[in-house]
Amino acid sequence: MDALNFINGQWCHSTTGEWLAITNPATEEPLGRVVLSSVDDVDQAVQTAGRAYDVWRRVPVTERIQYLFRLKQLLEENFEDLARTITLECGKTLAEARGEIRRGIENVETACGMPLMMQGYNNEDIARGVDEHLYRQPLGVVVAITPFNFPLMIPLWFLPYAIASGNCFILKPSEKVPLSAVKLIEILHQTGLPAGVVQLVHGRKATVEALLDHPEVRAVSFVGSSTVAKYVYSRAAASGKRAQCQGGAKNPVVILPDADLEMTTKIVAEGAFGCAGQRCLATSIAVLVGSAQQPFSEAICDAAASRRVGYGLDADVEMGPVVSAESKQRIEQLIELGLGEGAAPRVNGKARRPNGHDRGSFVLPTVLDNVAPSGTLARTEIFGPVLSLLYADTIDEALGVINSSPYGNMACLFTTSGAAARRFRNESVVGNVGINIGVPAPMAFYPFSGWKESFFGDLHAQGRHAVEFYTQTKVVVERWHTAWSRKF
């Protein structure tokens, strides 16, 4: 299947004539090709969106959300086909792909509340005969640059809110997983959405830079590594654009001695190894406090060694491959780096392959023990199924490990102590906190928070933050003199 651009309501080739291969990461079989867009392709999409915006922004919000109601229904009808597509190009299991789609649909449902969410406010008689009003109006042409790990959910963090609030939207998905985005746009086209309101351009760095530099693009949403997030944020800001840029993470969990061992082990194993460790909120570090050290380390090693790894379309598989051979190589190099820094390989996924899979980008669950808190591995995002074990004597020491990290995406605590939980959620310097939760992914009506090097910007994805990001406020102060009104 060829992944084409979608511009002005039509599927079209790029003017470059260049393509990239799309490969199944579990089998290394070809899935198709994706076009690489030129600066001219980007300009055509933006200019088309600008013309569509002049009309779309005047469509009543109650009419705009009707397209989202239809989109929600079509996503439900195409649920299994979308899940299979995600598994084919991304590698995650069918169960994980289904969960991703469900989260995406929740954002569509939330954005259907736009008539309430973008309401302004007013005061009558703020001075004698003077009224004041605040209105929320759309920005114009907005762009989302999305990653490979959630090829459907993350575009839906942005798209529904952007168009429901009156903007025109351009999606630039990861070139590694373009087929899910193509199917999303095909489904959206079936709703009857006017041409130019949502468009799709594929490509790599040159395409991204063309979008960032285009003078008619008003706002940019991005999810990816911290290095690229900072670059995108800086370049967008230099062009006077709004930007919300979600970066990387090194997500820790803290396990206190009073935690329920069986429940905690199951939850942490899923947080560390689910989606092959390629979640924004994947657990990377487990800080074991006091007497929790021995029992939990033994239990998590058993869970890692016994996790069923294979092709995500096969029944009973719990973890698929990482997204590409390049990712596999990078993860394995980081495992070797950790071993070189003195970590002990309690479970070494680099040294094994899943049964029946001689090909594919598989890295099996890995547990590294005695990782140095100040070492390179403890401060580097691996983005793979690798869990590092660190040790602390007290919760104070564990909080010190968390708060000294350059990242601030997520931290979780496992305990039966309400006092410890209250202190943890108050003192941990991160944007998303879990208490006896391994992946504290916010519901669609809450923002997906991130702090420090994990986020660049002010307003996050989802919920009210999305509405504020995609609208600008206009304040009107007005007076109508009685003498004037008597003329009519």
Side-chain angles (χ1 to χ4, degrees), residues 71-409:
L71 175 61
K72 182 252 191 311
Q73 183 59 40
L74 288 167
L75 289 171
E76 298 283 6
E77 293 172 6
N78 291 273
F79 197 95
E80 289 302 316
D81 180 56
L82 289 167
R84 181 180 174 84
T85 301
I86 291 169
T87 295
L88 285 172
E89 67 176 353
C90 181
K92 61 180 63 175
T93 69
L94 267 177
E96 291 167 341
R98 289 170 181 142
E100 170 180 347
I101 298 167
R102 183 55 56 202
R103 282 292 185 143
I105 290 173
E106 288 170 3
N107 275 284
V108 177
E109 293 168 340
T110 301
C112 286
M114 193 60 67
L116 282 174
M117 290 194 293
M118 70 178 298
Q119 284 182 343
Y121 49 86
N122 60 77
N123 286 90
E124 191 175 41
D125 288 322
I126 57 159
R128 294 185 183 278
V130 176
D131 305 328
E132 188 162 349
H133 314 274
L134 180 143
Y135 300 99
R136 287 196 172 277
Q137 296 185 340
L139 301 174
V141 180
V142 300
V143 169
I145 303 159
T146 58
F148 72 82
N149 59 328
F150 287 91
L152 192 80
M153 182 191 76
I154 292 180
L156 291 175
W157 277 1
F158 308 116
L159 187 158
Y161 303 100
I163 66 172
S165 56
N167 301 282
C168 288
F169 181 87
I170 299 173
L171 173 62
K172 206 303 285 184
S174 168
E175 66 278 10
K176 296 177 182 177
V177 290
L179 300 180
S180 299
V182 167
K183 294 213 168 186
L184 173 62
I185 299 302
E186 287 176 343
I187 290 169
L188 191 60
H189 187 51
Q190 293 176 40
T191 67
L193 191 72
V197 175
V198 173
Q199 300 179 100
L200 176 68
V201 292
H202 299 285
R204 299 205 283 194
K205 185 178 180 181
T207 306
V208 171
E209 291 179 340
L211 290 165
L212 295 177
D213 294 343
H214 201 291
E216 290 192 35
V217 171
R218 294 291 311 281
V220 177
S221 303
F222 173 85
V223 179
S225 71
S226 288
T227 300
V228 181
K230 189 172 185 178
Y231 172 81
V232 169
Y233 180 76
S234 300
R235 190 155 180 159
S239 298
K241 306 181 195 315
R242 290 189 180 187
Q244 49 179 190
C245 299
Q246 188 80 33
K250 192 69 180 177
N251 300 312
V253 300
V254 174
I255 297 148
L256 297 187
D258 64 351
D260 181 293
L261 180 62
E262 181 179 358
M263 177 197 73
T264 300
T265 302
K266 181 178 180 180
I267 293 174
V268 173
E270 174 57 29
F273 310 128
C275 296
Q278 297 176 130
R279 289 188 180 113
C280 303
L281 296 175
T283 302
S284 300
I285 293 173
V287 184
L288 314 183
V289 178
S291 59
Q293 296 176 10
Q294 182 177 348
F296 179 80
S297 62
E298 292 176 355
I300 196 65
C301 286
D302 289 342
S306 62
R307 198 167 189 88
R308 296 185 297 275
V309 180
Y311 191 9
L313 292 181
D314 292 341
D316 299 325
V317 168
E318 297 176 295
M319 192 187 96
V322 296
V323 73
S324 67
E326 293 77 14
S327 290
K328 171 181 165 67
Q329 182 181 29
R330 182 184 56 80
I331 294 164
E332 290 178 341
Q333 288 173 345
L334 286 169
I335 293 172
E336 287 299 319
L337 175 64
L339 298 178
E341 290 182 338
R346 293 284 294 272
V347 181
N348 192 347
K350 178 178 179 293
R352 301 178 292 138
R353 290 193 68 85
N355 293 333
H357 293 275
D358 296 328
R359 306 177 69 186
S361 303
F362 290 98
V363 180
L364 272 65
T366 298
V367 180
L368 301 179
D369 203 353
N370 281 316
V371 174
S374 59
T376 304
L377 191 67
R379 304 178 72 82
T380 301
E381 183 179 36
I382 299 176
F383 221 60
V386 181
L387 180 66
S388 298
L389 302 184
L390 279 66
Y391 299 103
D393 293 328
T394 65
I395 190 173
D396 299 84
E397 191 177 336
L399 281 166
V401 171
I402 293 169
N403 294 343
S404 65
S405 171
Y407 298 109
N409 209 36

Side-chain angles (χ1 to χ4, degrees), residues 475-488:
V475 175
V476 177
V477 184
E478 61 184 22
R479 171 188 285 129
W480 298 101
H481 290 286
T482 303
W484 296 346
S485 65
R486 288 174 180 169
K487 295 179 181 180
F488 299 97

